[in-house]
C-alpha cells in the first residue's frame, strides 16, 4: 500500500532532518561523558577546522572523479554537512558562517553554470560529470542548510533557495527525468536529494515529487544508461517509494548487490530518518514490513570475516562495513530498530558514530558495555520485489582455523550492475578468498584508470560468464550476454537447508541462461571427522537438448602446488578464445588424465587447498591466467582452472574442495599439506537421482544421495547401487561408513 | 689469534651447557613472578605433555623434508630438548624418562642404520637425507642429554655414548669430511653438533675436532656440493673457529646473507653459550672483536618494518626475527652482550624466551619495564672476513606514512647461496616491498614442491642477474653465471654517507661482472619538500670497451596504473629470451617514447608509486611477467619493467622513484595519485662528473652534482653548465632552486 503525504503538517522547526532540536539538547548535555561520541566529534572538528583554515574553494567544474574540481566539490559537501553539525552541537558561529559563505559562493556560480563539460554520462550534472554526484551534493548540503537555517536571515534563505536549491532540485529532476524517474540507485539519490531539500524548505509539493517521482517524463522505453541498463520499463512506478519497493526483496536483499546496496543505504536511511523526524505519520520504517531495517542486517551478513562485502555483480573489492554509509546504517538501525545490541559490536569496530541522536545512542550503548557479538548466519536471501526471483545463499561453517563461507548466487539479473553469473559461487576462509569472484573491472575514483569510471573490461571480462565460477556453454555467456534477456529471468531455488549443522546445503536450477539446457547446481558443506575441515561438495547436473561444450572454471587464488595429472605448459601464451570474455584468458597449460579424478592443490595465506573433480579422459584440464587482450593493464593477472567437457548432451561436474593444513614461513613447518580425499566418484546417476561416494585417505567412506527432481521434504526415495538398496526421506541423505 | 682449548678443565657438573646448575636454581626461585618466562614455560609444557601423550615414534628413516619420517625425527629432537629443560626446571621425572626412552629407541636403531635412502645430497645423513639435519638433531639432543645426564645411570650413559652419540658424531665428521671440514653453514652445524656432545661427554679431544676440524680429510679441491658451492679451498682453515672467522665480516654480516645468517645463528650462539659456560677461559664472545654479539644487531637491522629479513641471495620470504633462532639470538645477545635494553623490545614482540638463564634475564627485564625501542639505522655492512670485500648498504628515511628502506648489494658472491646480483637493490615502504628482490625459488619443507628443496628454477631464474634490479649486459648474467669466477670478486664501495639526513647516499663500482665494462651505481634518498616523500635517485654510469646491449629491470610490485608512453601489448606471449633467466620472462608489452622521460605508475597496498627514467627514443621499454618455461608452476607471476638500451659503449641509466598518495577502497578517495616529478634530466655528463636536474610539477628545480672518479671528501670540483659555473667540495652536492 502506498503512503500518502497529503496529510497536513505544521511548519517545522530547525534542525529537524537528522539533528533535531531535542536531540541537540541531549547531545549537549552529554558532551564529555560518551567516549566514542566525543572522539568522533573531536575528529570531525579537527577535520573541519583544517578545512576552514584552508579557505573556501568553489571552482568551475571541469574534471571527472579523481580530478581536482570533482574532489573539491565532493569535499565541500562533506565539509558543509559536518560544519553544520558542529555549529549545532558546539554553538560556534564560525561553523555556521563557513557553511553560509560556501553556500553563497555556490549561489553565485549556479545560475549561470552550464551542464558539466565531460560528456560521458547519460545524465550530466552541473557541479559533477553526472547528476548522480550533483544529487550526492544536495543530500549532504540539505542537512547543512537545515543546521544553519535559523542562523541565516530570511533574505539569505530566499536568495539561496531561489538561486541555488530550487534550480538545483529542478535540474536533477525535471530537467533530467532519464536520471530521476527510474528504479535505480541513481534515482534513489536523486529522489532523496529533492526530498531532503523539500523537507528543509517545508515544500510538500516538492516532497511529493521525491516520494512518487515526476508525473511526466517522456522517457523512451528503449533508452539505456551508460552501463547498458534500461532507463525505465513501461508502467514502471518511480520515486523514492518505488525505489524502496522494487529493488529490495522482502529479505532486505538489494538486487544490484551488496556494493550498491551499501551505496544506496545512505540516501535510503538518511531520508528515512529525516522523514521519521519530520513526517512521523508516514511510518517509513514500517514500510514493506520494515524492509529498510531488515536490509541493514542483510548487508552486514553479506560480508566476509573482515567485514568486506562479497563483490557480487559490480562491486569493488575492499569495500566494507567500515564505510561511512555503514556507520550511518548501523547507527540508524540501532536507534530506529529497537536497540539491537549486536549492532553495537559492529559500531565499536567502526570506531566512529554519526553526530546525531542515533550516534549518541550507539555511543552511550557502547559506553555502557551493552554490545553483544554480531553472529553471521547461514542465510538464504530472496531476490526480487516479492522475493520470488531467485536469491543469494550464504552457507557458513566453522573450520579448524576460521569460518568457511560459501556465497552461491541464483538471483535475478541485478539491473544494470548485474553479471551473467547464474549459479556462480565464491568461497572464503575467514577474511580470505579461496575461490574468488572477480568483482568489477574498475578503480573507483582513480583517475589514471579511465577517469575512475567503469573500464571497457568490465563489460568484456568482469560481467561475462567465463569470469565466474559457473557453467559456460559453447564459450558464450548466459543469455548470450544480452541484458534485456537476462533481465527477464532468474534461477529457481531447489532446496536451501541449514537445519543440520553437519550438512548445510543449497541447490538451484537455471533453465533460461542457455535455452534448451537445464543446469542444476547443488553445493553443500559437509562436516566429516576424517577431514580436517568441513569440505565443500559441488554437484552440477546438466540436461541439454543438444550437444554442447561445457566449461567450469574455478578461480582459485594462490600458488599452484601440485596436480595429479600430466599437463603441458604452453611455450607461447595465446588467448583461450576470441570473445565473451575468453579473449581475456591466457591459456597457460592443458592436461588430461586417465584416472577418474583430477586433483589440484594450491597454497595461499599459509594454507593449502585442494580441488578434486570427477573427470573422464575426454575432459580437458586447462590452466588459465587473466590478462590477455588487456591493452592498458586494467585486469588482475589471477589464475584459474577450467574443467572442459567436450561436445556432450547431459553431463555431470562433481567436485570437492578441501581446506587443509598450514605452512608458516617462520617455523618452515608444513602440516597436513596433502589432500585427505582418496577418491571421489559418481556411484549412481539417473534422471531422478545422483549418488556420490567420498572416500578418505584413511579409507573411511561416505555416500551422498540426492533427489534431483523431487524437492519435497517428506518424499521417500530408494535406489539400488551394486545390488544394495539405499532408502531415504527428503531431498538428500549422507551415509557415513557405507 | 687462535683459541687454544688445551688448558685443563675439571670434570664439570650437569647441566652446564645451556642450562646451568646455578641458573636452574635461580629459575626455580623466580617461577610465577616473571610473566613472559612463565608463559613460555606453560606453552612448552603443554606442547611436550601432548607429545608424551602421543607416545614415542622413532621410525626408520625414509622421507625427504616435509615427509613423515623427516618431520617426526625433527620433532623428536625439538621435543627432547624441551623435555630436558622441563625436567630441570620442574624436577618432574616424567620428562627425564621421556628423553631417556626416546634416546634408547635411537640407540637401538642407530648401530645398524644404513645411510639415508634418499640419494640427492652430497653428504647423506642417517636419520635425515642430509648430514645437515643429522647435525641439527645432535645439537638439540646434546642439550637434552646434558639435562638428564645425572638422571641416567652410568651404564645407561655408557650405552648411549657407545651406541649412539660417539658413532653419530663420527658419522657426521670423520665419515663425511666433505660436509664437516668446510667453511659453510652446513659445517657450522656439524662442528657445533660434535662440539656440544663433546662438552656433555667432557671429551676434550672431540672438542678439539669441533673447534679446529679434522686434521685429515682428503677432500678433492674441485669437489662441489649440491648447490654448486666448492667444498674446500686449498689451505682453508676449518672447524668452528674458522667458520666464525671467515664468513662473518667485522661488521657482523654473514656472507651467505640474512636468511642463512639466521639459520647459522642458532648453532653459533648456542655453542658459544655452552663454551662460555663450560670453558669460559676461551672467551668465545670476545673472539674477532666480539663479532658474534655484533652479528645479532646486524641481523636485526637486515629486516623490514615487519621484522622480515631482506631476501638477499637464497632467502625465503616471510622468514623473520620471530623465528626460534632469533629468539635464541636476542636472549643470548642480551645476557652475554651487556643487557642492551633495545633488545628487550624485540623480545617483547617475539613474546617468548629461552627457558634458560638468558631467557630468564630477558623476561625479568621486560617485567621490569626496561625495554627501549629498537631503532633501525642506515648502515653500511662490510662483507668478507676482513671487511674488504664490498658490502650491503641499507638506507632508511622517514616518509609521510612509513619508513622507506633501500637495500643495496655490492658484496662478494656469498658462497654457494649467492646470486649474480652485483649492485642490485630492493626498496621497501614499511613492511611492504616496492621494488622486490625475488628471493629464492624454493618452498622450504613443502613436499609437493621438489621435496621442499631447491627447485631447478632457483638456478635458472632466481640466481640469474635478470632476476634482479641491476644491469644485464648482452642478456648474460654477471661472471657468465659462473660460480668460481664470481667467488673471486666483489664490488667496491665508492661512497657511503648518511651524515646528512636530507641526502643519504650509497655508491659502488663493479668492474669484474662483465670484463671490460665498469658499472657504477649511485643511489640516494633525497628529502625535498616539494615531494610528499623522500625520493630515491638511481644513477648508473656504464663505461665499456665494446658495444653491448644493457637491460635494467625494475621488479615493481602491484598493478600498473599508467605509463606516459605508447606501448603495444603482445597478442601472444613469448619468452623474452632463451637463457640466463630470460627464458622465464614473458614479454607482455613493449614501447618507446620520443619524450626524454619514460614514466610508469603503479598501485600497491593502497599507495601509488612512480618510476621516472631518462630515456632516448632508441631505448626499448619492456613490460614483463615472470613465469615462462616454468613447467611446474614453481615461479611467482610477478611483473617487471625493463629499460633496454641497444648496442652502446658508455651509457647512463638515471631514474627517480617516488612513493606518493593514498587510496582507500573504503572511502574510495584517491589523494596525490600522480607523480610530482615534471622532468628528470642529465644536464652534464663526462668522465669525471654527472649532473642531474630534478624538476617538480610546481616548477621548483634542484640539481644533483656528482664526482665519478674522485671520492675524496675534501676535493674541490667545478663544472660549467650552460655557461654557469657550479662548484662544490666532496663527492656530491645537491643544489635546491638552481
Ligand atoms: Ca578480506
Ligand atoms: Ca613484510
Ligand atoms: Ca635475492
Ligand atoms: Mg552505475
Ligand atoms: Mg561477478
Ligand atoms: Mg645449502
Ligand atoms: Mg637474488
Amino acid at each position: 500500500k502506498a503512503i500518502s503525504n497529503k496529510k497536513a503538517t505544521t511548519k517545522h522547526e530547525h534542525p529537524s532532518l537528522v539533528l533535531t532540536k531535542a536531540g541537540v539538547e541531549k547531545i549537549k548535555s552529554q558532551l564529555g561523558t560518551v567516549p566514542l561520541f566525543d572522539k568522533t566529534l573531536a575528529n570531525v572538528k579537527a577535520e573541519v577546522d583544517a578545512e576552514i583554515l584552508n579557505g573556501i574553494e568553489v571552482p568551475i567544474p571541469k574534471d571527472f572523479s579523481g580530478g581536482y574540481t570533482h574532489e573539491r566539490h565532493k569535499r565541500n559537501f562533506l565539509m558543509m554537512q559536518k560544519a553544520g553539525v558542529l555549529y549545532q552541537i558546539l554553538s560556534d558561529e564560525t561553523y555556521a558562517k563557513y557553511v553560509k559563505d560556501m553556500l553563497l559562493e555556490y549561489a553565485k556560480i549556479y545560475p549561470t553554470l552550464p551542464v558539466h563539460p565531460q560528456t560521458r554520462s547519460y545524465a550530466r550534472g552541473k557541479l559533477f560529470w553526472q547528476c548522480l554526484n550533483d544529487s550526492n551534493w544536495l543530500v549532504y548540503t540539505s542537512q547543512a542548510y537545515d543546521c544553519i537555517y535559523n542562523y541565516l536571515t530570511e533574505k539569505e534563505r530566499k536568495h539561496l533557495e531561489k538561486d541555488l536549491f530550487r534550480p538545483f532540485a529542478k535540474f536533477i529532476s525535471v530537467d533530467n527525468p532519464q536520471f530521476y524517474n527510474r528504479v535505480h540507485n541513481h534515482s534513489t539519490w536523486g529522489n532523496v536529494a529533492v526530498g531532503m531539500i523539500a523537507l528543509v524548505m517545508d515544500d510538500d509539493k516538492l516532497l511529493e515529487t521525491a516520494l512518487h517521482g515526476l508525473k511526466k517524463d517522456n522517457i523512451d522505453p528503449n533508452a539505456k544508461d551508460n552501463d547498458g541498463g534500461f532507463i525505465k520499463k513501461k508502467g514502471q512506478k518511480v520515486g523514492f517509494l518505488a525505489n524502496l519497493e522494487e529493488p529490495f526483496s522482502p529479505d532486505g536483499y538489494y538486487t544490484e548487490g551488496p556494493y550498491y546496496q551499501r551505496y544506496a543505504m545512505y540516501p535510503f536511511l538518511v531520508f528515512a530518518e529525516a522523514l521519521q523526524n519530520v513526517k512521523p505519520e508516514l511510518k517509513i520504517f514500517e514500510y514493506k514490513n520494515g524492509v529498510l531495517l531488515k536490509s541493514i542486517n542483510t548487508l552486514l551478513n553479506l560480508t566476509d570475516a573482515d567485514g568486506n562485502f562479497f563483490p557480487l555483480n559490480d562491486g569493488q573489492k575492499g569495500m566494507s562495513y567500515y564505510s561511512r554509509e555503514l556507520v550511518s546504517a548501523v547507527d540508524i538501525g540501532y536507534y530506529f530498530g529497537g536497540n539491537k545490541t549486536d549492532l553495537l559490536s559492529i559500531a565499536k569496530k567502526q570506531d566512529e558514530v554519526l553526530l546525531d541522536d542515533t550516534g549518541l545512542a550507539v555511543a552511550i550503548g557502547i559506553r555502557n558495555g551493552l554490545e553483544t557479538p554480531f553472529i553471521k548466519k547461514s542465510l538464504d536471501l530472496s531476490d526480487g520485489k516479492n522475493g520470488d526471483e531467485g536469491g543469494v545463499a550464504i552457507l557458513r561453517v566453522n573450520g579448524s582455523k576460521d569460518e568457511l563461507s560459501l556465497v552461491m548466487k541464483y538471483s535475478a539479473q541485478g539491473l544494470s550492475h548485474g553479471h551473467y553469473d547464474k549459479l556462480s559461487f565464491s568461497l572464503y576462509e575467514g577474511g580470505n578468498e579461496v575461490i574468488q569472484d572477480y568483482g568489477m573491472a574498475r578503480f573507483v575514483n582513480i583517475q589514471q584508470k579511465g577517469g575512475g569510471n567503469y573500464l571497457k573490461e568490465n563489460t568484456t571480462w568482469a560481467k561475462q560468464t567465463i569470469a565466474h565460477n559457473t557453467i559456460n556453454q559453447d564459450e558464450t555467456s548466459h543469455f548470450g550476454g544480452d541484458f534485456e534477456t537476462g533481465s527477464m529471468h532468474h534461477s529457481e531455488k531447489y532446496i536451501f537447508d541449514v537445519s543440520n549443522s553437519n550438512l548445510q546445503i543449497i541447490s538451484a536450477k537455471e533453465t533460461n541462461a542457455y535455452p534448451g539446457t537445464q543446469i542444476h547446481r547443488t553445493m553443500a558443506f559437509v562436516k566429516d571427522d576424517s577431514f580436517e575441515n568441513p569440505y565443500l561438495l559441488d554437484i552440477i547436473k546438466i540436461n541439454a537438448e543438444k550437444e554442447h561444450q561445457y566449461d567450469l572454471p574455478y578461480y582459485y587464488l594462490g600458488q599452484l602446488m601440485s596436480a595429479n595429472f600430466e599437463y603441458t605448459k604452453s611455450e607461447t601464451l595465446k588467448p583461450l578464445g576470441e570473445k565473451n570474455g575468453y579473449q581475456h584468458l591466457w591459456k597457460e597449460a592443458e592436461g588430461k588424465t586417465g584416472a577418474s579424478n583430477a586433483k589440484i592443490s594450491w597454497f595461499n595465506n599459509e594454507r593449502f587447498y585442494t580441488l578434486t573433480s570427477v573427470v573422464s579422459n575426454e575432459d580437458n584440464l586447462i590452466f588459465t591466467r587473466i590478462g590477455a587482450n588487456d591493452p592498458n593493464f586494467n585486469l588482475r593477472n589471477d589464475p584459474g582452472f577450467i574443467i572442459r567437457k567436450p561436445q556432450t548432451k547431459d553431463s555431470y561436474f562433481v567436485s570437492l574442495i578441501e581446506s587443509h593444513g598450514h605452512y608458516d614461513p617462520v617455523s618452515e613447518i608444513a602440516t597436513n599439506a596433502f589432500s585427505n580425499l582418496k577418491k571421489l566418484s559418481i556411484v549412481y546417476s539417473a534422471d531422478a537421482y545422483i549418488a556420490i561416494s567420498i572416500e578418505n585417505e584413511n579409507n573411511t567412506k561416505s555416500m551422498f544421495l540426492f533427489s534431483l527432481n523431487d524437492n519435497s521434504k517428506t518424499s521417500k526415495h530408494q535406489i539400488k547401487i551394486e545390488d544394495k538398496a539405499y532408502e531415504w526421506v527428503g531431498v538428500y541423505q549422507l551415509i557415513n561408513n557405507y
Side-chain angles (χ1 to χ4, degrees), chain A:
Chain A
K1 44 190 174 177
I3 291 179
S4 161
N5 74 321
K6 294 286 158 60
K7 202 169 163 188
T9 41
T10 49
K11 205 85 184 162
H12 55 261
E13 57 194 20
H14 295 276
S16 62
L17 269 61
V18 170
L19 280 173
T20 60
K21 252 187 127 74
V24 168
E25 286 320 304
K26 179 157 188 204
I27 288 169
K28 283 179 165 174
S29 76
Q30 299 275 340
L31 283 185
T33 70
V34 191
L36 187 50
F37 193 93
D38 293 334
K39 177 177 160 181
T40 307
L41 182 64
N43 288 342
V44 167
K45 183 174 183 309
E47 191 185 5
V48 174
D49 286 351
E51 279 293 334
I52 291 175
L53 218 66
N54 173 68
I56 289 168
E57 298 172 39
V58 178
I60 296 300
K62 180 166 81 62
D63 302 326
F64 271 131
S65 47
Y68 166 69
T69 71
H70 182 105
E71 296 305 322
R72 186 65 255 172
H73 287 297
K74 181 172 174 182
R75 200 154 173 76
N76 282 353
F77 69 67
L78 293 171
M79 288 306 116
M80 282 195 281
Q81 190 269 344
K82 289 177 176 180
V85 167
L86 291 178
Y87 167 63
Q88 283 295 330
I89 295 178
L90 302 175
S91 308
D92 180 341
E93 293 199 349
T94 315
Y95 300 109
K97 184 171 181 308
Y98 176 69
V99 175
K100 181 180 92 172
D101 290 350
M102 197 182 289
L103 286 175
L104 290 172
E105 287 299 314
Y106 275 105
K108 219 180 270 172
I109 65 165
Y110 199 82
T112 59
L113 211 55
V115 72
H116 194 278
Q118 302 289 356
T119 60
R120 191 186 310 190
S121 175
Y122 77 103
R124 288 152 71 190
K126 286 193 162 184
L127 296 180
F128 300 91
W129 70 280
Q130 46 178 359
C131 281
L132 172 63
N133 306 97
D134 280 40
S135 302
N136 300 156
W137 187 95
L138 190 56
V139 169
Y140 282 86
T141 304
S142 299
Q143 298 171 55
Y145 182 42
D146 182 38
C147 283
I148 69 158
Y149 194 93
N150 289 328
Y151 167 81
L152 297 169
T153 64
E154 198 178 332
K155 198 179 152 197
E156 285 165 342
R157 290 196 296 260
K158 279 205 169 137
H159 166 50
L160 288 175
E161 294 187 7
K162 178 174 152 288
D163 287 341
L164 182 59
F165 295 129
R166 287 193 184 277
F168 200 111
K170 176 171 172 287
F171 179 74
I172 58 172
S173 58
V174 178
D175 295 352
N176 281 283
Q178 83 285 12
F179 162 77
Y180 190 79
N181 253 20
R182 305 176 66 185
V183 169
H184 192 281
N185 72 67
H186 288 187
S187 309
T188 302
W189 277 99
N191 303 155
V192 168
V194 169
M196 292 289 277
I197 198 68
L199 287 177
V200 191
M201 300 192 302
D202 200 13
D203 182 336
D204 279 0
K205 221 176 118 194
L206 197 57
L207 182 62
E208 171 66 20
T209 306
L211 294 173
H212 297 107
L214 301 167
K215 293 254 153 60
K216 279 193 228 160
D217 58 22
N218 296 320
I219 294 172
D220 176 350
N222 293 313
K224 292 188 186 177
D225 69 7
N226 303 78
D227 302 320
F230 283 112
I231 298 296
K232 191 183 167 191
K233 286 184 279 184
K234 241 196 127 139
Q236 173 74 64
K237 280 194 183 178
V238 292
F240 179 75
L241 296 175
N243 268 294
L244 183 49
E245 181 69 34
E246 287 244 351
F248 284 104
S249 78
D251 290 327
Y253 177 77
Y254 188 71
T255 193
E256 297 190 25
Y259 178 78
Y260 278 97
Q261 178 163 0
R262 175 270 327 168
Y263 186 59
M265 282 318 265
Y266 184 75
F268 274 119
L269 288 172
V270 80
F271 190 44
E273 181 178 13
L275 285 173
Q276 184 65 27
N277 285 333
V278 183
K279 306 267 178 191
E281 66 275 17
L282 291 184
K283 297 189 177 167
I284 191 69
F285 283 112
E286 291 170 33
Y287 194 75
K288 197 175 175 176
N289 272 318
V291 74
L292 269 177
L293 296 169
K294 212 177 282 177
S295 73
I296 298 170
N297 184 63
T298 298
L299 193 48
L300 291 171
N301 267 289
L302 283 163
T303 60
D304 70 15
D306 297 333
N308 288 10
F309 296 120
F310 300 131
L312 300 175
N313 294 332
D314 287 338
Q316 175 160 280
K317 289 185 181 180
M319 181 55 76
S320 74
Y321 61 46
Y322 293 94
S323 65
R324 64 173 184 275
E325 297 91 344
L326 270 285
V327 172
S328 305
V330 167
D331 291 4
I332 293 171
Y334 179 75
Y335 188 82
F336 291 106
N339 296 0
K340 300 223 171 79
T341 52
D342 57 352
L343 290 175
L344 295 178
S345 70
I346 304 284
K348 196 173 180 179
K349 286 190 188 175
Q350 292 171 334
D351 202 28
E352 62 175 306
V353 291
L354 290 180
L355 294 179
D356 66 7
D357 311 13
T358 70
L360 183 71
V362 166
I364 288 174
I366 291 172
R367 182 197 62 193
N368 295 347
L370 301 180
E371 83 262 18
T372 53
F374 188 90
I375 294 165
K376 294 180 194 169
K377 300 165 206 70
S378 291
L379 277 178
D380 186 37
L381 300 168
S382 64
D383 193 8
K385 177 181 173 180
N386 300 314
D388 56 2
E389 300 177 26
V392 171
I394 308 170
L395 303 185
R396 300 183 196 269
V397 65
N398 287 328
S400 58
K401 294 173 214 81
D402 277 309
E403 188 174 75
L404 289 155
S405 314
L406 169 76
V407 185
M408 206 272 219
K409 188 161 177 274
Y410 64 99
S411 66
Q413 179 67 24
L415 304 183
S416 62
H417 291 295
H419 288 194
Y420 301 98
D421 62 352
K422 291 285 173 273
L423 309 187
S424 185
F425 80 103
S426 52
L427 177 65
Y428 290 76
E429 186 167 17
N432 299 323
E433 298 168 279
V434 177
I435 306 285
Q436 73 159 329
D437 181 310
Y438 187 87
M440 68 182 167
R442 180 181 176 186
F443 297 83
V444 180
N445 294 336
I446 300 186
Q447 219 176 4
Q448 291 98 316
K449 288 293 189 196
N453 300 307
Y454 281 99
L455 297 164
K456 187 169 67 58
E457 290 77 12
N458 197 58
T459 305
T460 61
W461 165 253
K463 286 194 167 194
Q464 298 297 324
T465 303
I466 191 60
H468 299 87
N469 306 297
T470 188
I471 291 290
N472 284 251
Q473 177 176 294
D474 297 334
E475 304 185 29
T476 60
S477 283
H478 297 166
F479 310 108
D482 182 62
F483 175 66
E484 307 180 25
T485 312
S487 300
M488 288 158 47
H489 300 292
H490 56 83
S491 307
E492 292 285 355
K493 175 163 63 181
Y494 183 70
I495 182 179
F496 171 84
D497 186 357
V498 295
S499 58
N500 174 357
S501 69
N502 289 323
L503 198 162
Q504 300 184 52
I505 190 164
I506 172 68
S507 177
K509 295 186 183 189
E510 172 56 47
T511 53
N512 299 297
Y514 298 117
T517 299
Q518 176 185 274
I519 308 168
H520 184 178
R521 188 172 211 166
T522 302
M523 305 190 85
F525 273 134
V526 179
K527 275 195 202 172
D528 175 334
D529 286 347
S530 65
F531 290 84
E532 177 185 345
N533 284 302
Y535 59 76
L536 179 65
L537 193 57
D538 180 13
I539 301 168
I540 297 176
K541 181 170 189 207
I542 297 172
N543 289 317
E545 288 171 4
K546 295 189 188 145
E547 290 206 336
H548 299 283
Q549 171 189 284
Y550 292 105
D551 286 348
L552 176 62
Y554 286 96
Y555 289 99
Y556 70 93
L557 274 179
Q559 175 104 28
L560 193 79
M561 284 288 113
S562 62
N564 75 337
F565 54 88
E566 297 277 317
Y567 56 84
T568 309
K569 286 286 290 270
S570 310
E571 294 196 359
T572 63
L573 294 194
K574 297 197 180 73
L576 185 61
E578 290 182 1
K579 52 181 189 293
N580 304 326
Y582 280 75
Q583 73 276 23
H584 291 296
L585 286 174
W586 294 117
K587 182 173 163 182
E588 284 202 325
E590 185 168 14
K592 279 187 188 264
T593 179
S596 58
N597 281 181
K599 193 187 277 284
I600 64 166
S601 292
W602 66 96
F603 176 66
N604 203 33
N605 289 306
E606 307 199 346
R607 294 170 199 188
F608 299 95
Y609 301 94
T610 298
L611 168 75
T612 305
S613 204
V614 178
V615 295
S616 84
N617 54 14
E618 304 280 288
D619 298 351
N620 291 312
L621 308 169
I622 303 170
F623 291 97
T624 62
R625 191 165 293 276
I626 303 165
N629 284 295
D630 174 24
N632 301 312
F633 291 91
N634 286 340
L635 297 174
R636 299 192 307 271
N637 298 92
D638 296 333
F641 175 63
I642 297 180
I643 298 164
R644 170 171 289 180
K645 295 197 186 281
Q647 294 301 316
T648 173
K649 279 174 82 175
D650 294 355
S651 195
Y652 299 91
F653 287 84
V654 174
S655 305
L656 187 151
I657 299 173
E658 297 164 80
S659 161
H660 54 94
H662 182 252
Y663 178 76
D664 170 3
V666 173
S667 71
E668 294 186 334
I669 292 169
T671 55
N672 200 20
F674 291 90
S675 165
N676 292 302
L677 180 64
K678 187 171 183 180
K679 190 166 183 198
L680 184 69
S681 44
I682 304 173
V683 287
Y684 184 96
S685 63
D687 271 0
Y689 300 110
I690 188 166
I692 310 295
S693 163
I694 298 128
E695 185 177 352
N696 187 287
E697 280 291 348
N698 64 16
N699 297 317
T700 63
K701 269 178 164 183
S702 59
M703 194 192 291
F704 179 78
L705 300 154
F706 194 76
S707 151
L708 291 159
N709 294 325
D710 176 354
N711 66 357
S712 151
K713 289 195 169 185
T714 51
S715 295
K716 288 182 183 173
H717 305 286
Q718 186 189 330
I719 57 176
K720 247 188 196 167
I721 302 172
E722 289 174 3
D723 288 337
K724 192 171 162 193
Y726 294 88
E727 291 185 359
W728 75 98
V729 174
V731 183
Y732 64 93
Q733 180 75 35
L734 186 79
I735 303 175
N736 290 313
N737 307 310
Y738 78 92

